[in-house]
Amino acid sequence: MDSFVYKSAGIGELLSVIRSTLAGYSTFPAPVDSVFSGASALTEEEIQILRLVCEAKTRREIAAELYLSEGTVKRRIGEILAKTGYGNILRLAVHAVAEGSIVPGIKEE
């Protein structure tokens, strides 16, 4: 992802982001709230699941990679949403990537 803009952005901001992206710059808005404001309680497994969601993995792919059942992955995603206050895992993933909390493809050690 080279740049990100919220759909509520005005036309001027959108054009500015497009121009700077075409010029080779990455543009990301400042987060409204930190994705980890409620996520400090996430377990290591939940963080791994969120990272794989950010990599556009399906529940089946996540389950296979982490040696879990699909039902467990579904349940963990529900727990992640409850802990972070998000109602949708895709919105959480976009926010996590946009604020730089998770960089898809790079595993933290």
Side-chain angles (χ1 to χ4, degrees):
M1 181 180 325
D2 294 325
S3 293
F4 178 85
V5 64
Y6 292 110
K7 67 181 179 181
S8 61
I11 190 73
E13 182 181 358
L14 179 60
L15 290 173
S16 176
V17 169
I18 291 170
R19 287 184 187 115
S20 65
T21 302
L22 290 172
Y25 297 97
S26 293
T27 305
F28 296 95
V32 177
D33 331 8
S34 173
V35 72
F36 287 103
S37 61
S40 59
L42 291 182
T43 66
E44 184 59 36
E45 181 179 74
E46 290 167 339
I47 292 169
Q48 288 176 327
I49 289 171
L50 180 57
R51 179 170 281 105
L52 293 171
V53 168
C54 291
E55 292 176 7
K57 303 274 184 171
T58 65
R59 282 189 206 148
R60 178 173 286 159
E61 292 169 329
I62 294 169
E65 187 162 330
L66 298 179
Y67 304 103
L68 301 170
S69 72
E70 285 185 61
T72 298
V73 172
K74 182 178 179 179
R75 188 171 59 255
R76 295 286 187 269
I77 288 173
E79 292 166 359
I80 291 167
L81 294 174
K83 288 179 182 180
T84 60
Y86 278 78
N88 179 302
I89 194 67
L90 181 57
R91 287 181 187 225
L92 174 59
V94 167
H95 193 152
V97 171
E99 79 164 6
S101 297
I102 293 184
V103 180
I106 298 177
K107 295 182 181 175
E108 294 181 7
E109 298 187 28

